[in-house]
Amino acid sequence: QKEVEQDPGPLSVPEGAIVSLNCTYSNSAFQYFMWYRQYSRKGPELLMYTYSSGNKEDGRFTAQVDKSSKYISLFIRDSQPSDSATYLCASRYNFNKFYFGSGTKLNVKP
Amino acid sequence: NAGVTQTPKFQVLKTGQSMTLQCAQDMNHEYMSWYRQDPGMGLRLIHYSVGAGITDQGEVPNGYNVSRSTTEDFPLRLLSAAPSQTSVYFCASSYSINSDSYEQYFGPGTRLTVT
């Protein structure tokens, strides 16, 4: 079992839709949770992070962590074609190791 | 700042050949790491380093060696390439790991094919 599991998609939505991306993790010791965005043939770039449980909002993006169910979510409001990318969830463990999900490919259609 | 740079961008190797993937960063980051990305598997940590002279294994270290003689450079060596090592390799760096640092800066990747 992978430490962080993620539905690979692909997910296709019309422009302006609300997008929900989700991950689950197995290790209850994980405390830092991150979302990276990766455009085709590029390296991942950090989009958002949260510490422990709760919500964090940044513009059209909201990251949510529910530690009781070991569930990580990213919501994108008013999605744009420029949001089309692969989204990777990740968690940091014991300061030294980062575990990534397999990524969900999102396509926002104009 | 150039950020994290990787060379080469593309490489084709024959089974049994060896090579070194180069990674450099100019942000004075203490933490550097190597990942491989395969379809359906996501990013998997190969090796990491928390500072010059200190390295450790990640999730999938077999078949790879690393060293860290300077803060800036963190090369990844494939000792005897195998088709299973066909992948996209990413190098990443971060501020001191002994902090609340959460952001890793990734390089553009090296696409490696082993035939």
Side-chain angles (χ1 to χ4, degrees), chain A residues 25 33 52-54 64-73:
Chain A
Y25 63 95
F33 303 93
S52 194
S53 281
Q64 193 173 76
V65 177
D66 182 347
K67 292 200 79 178
S68 62
S69 59
K70 298 192 183 73
Y71 207 75
I72 313 164
S73 300

Side-chain angles (χ1 to χ4, degrees), chain A:
Chain A
Q1 182 189 5
K2 278 177 65 69
E3 300 278 0
V4 180
E5 300 272 5
Q6 187 173 5
D7 186 339
L11 185 61
S12 186
V13 301
E15 183 176 353
I18 296 174
V19 176
S20 172
L21 303 168
N22 306 295
C23 292
T24 58
Y25 63 95
S26 58
N27 192 333
S28 57
F30 287 172
Q31 289 190 305
Y32 291 91
F33 303 93
M34 294 140 278
W35 284 95
Y36 282 80
R37 178 174 59 195
Q38 185 176 23
Y39 291 112
S40 181
R41 296 185 172 264
K42 301 286 188 186
E45 54 182 356
L46 183 71
L47 193 59
M48 294 192 69
Y49 84 99
T50 55
Y51 173 71
S52 194
S53 281
N55 290 1
K56 184 170 183 177
E57 191 172 317
D58 184 1
R60 297 183 295 109
F61 299 89
T62 300
Q64 193 173 76
V65 177
D66 182 347
K67 292 200 79 178
S68 62
S69 59
K70 298 192 183 73
Y71 207 75
I72 313 164
S73 300
L74 177 72
F75 300 97
I76 307 174
R77 291 181 299 279
D78 188 24
S79 56
Q80 303 295 309
S82 58
D83 295 328
S84 297
T86 296
Y87 290 80
L88 302 155
C89 59
S91 182
R92 177 182 159 188
Y93 171 70
N94 200 26
F95 288 105
N96 292 340
K97 295 185 178 179
F98 293 79
Y99 292 95
F100 285 80
S102 56
T104 299
K105 189 169 184 179
L106 172 67
N107 180 34
V108 181
K109 298 173 291 185

Side-chain angles (χ1 to χ4, degrees), chain B residues 7-49:
Chain B
T7 56
K9 285 187 169 52
F10 302 93
Q11 184 70 50
V12 178
L13 288 178
K14 292 190 187 318
T15 297
Q17 287 184 318
S18 63
M19 79 159 294
T20 299
L21 279 62
Q22 301 292 345
C23 174
Q25 52 91 10
D26 61 358
M27 297 173 282
N28 203 31
H29 286 170
E30 290 188 10
Y31 181 88
M32 295 186 74
S33 55
W34 276 102
Y35 293 88
R36 58 178 291 172
Q37 187 172 37
D38 303 291
M41 301 295 291
L43 285 161
R44 291 182 292 170
L45 182 64
I46 304 172
H47 285 285
Y48 65 93
S49 168

